Amino acid sequence: DGHAWATTDSLATPEQTAAWRAGLGLLMDAFAEGIREGVFVADDPELLARSAIAMHQVRLALWVGRGMKQSPLEVARGATQQLLRLCCKSDRIEEVWGRWNGS
């Protein structure tokens, strides 16, 4: 619909806004925990969470716009790699990727 997922601007009801805020809060908590554990870069958890949401929106829009030729698994792998490049400390990317990828 052309609206940014990283904001509440396009939400129509208080319930939608509450659900969006709850989801953002969970993602922020995950980033904060990862920062404390030394997995993620020391940055603002809200910025990381909103950046992750925006990156996923762009990736999915591009996938749809290109006719969804990649498998959903390939899209998920690409999104995960992109997220790791943004958020993980460089010396932890391979470890986290291996855990996600089942290696």
Side-chain angles (χ1 to χ4, degrees), residues 31-67:
F31 279 117
E33 180 66 21
I35 291 167
R36 280 191 296 278
E37 290 182 6
V39 174
F40 296 137
V41 295
D43 206 339
D44 179 350
E46 184 174 6
L47 175 65
L48 294 174
R50 287 179 184 247
S51 296
I53 292 167
M55 287 187 329
H56 281 85
Q57 181 181 16
V58 170
R59 182 172 291 275
L60 290 174
L62 188 59
W63 179 59
V64 169
R66 291 180 174 170

Side-chain angles (χ1 to χ4, degrees), residues 13-24:
T13 69
E15 293 81 9
Q16 288 176 319
T17 300
W20 183 90
R21 290 188 192 287
L24 178 65

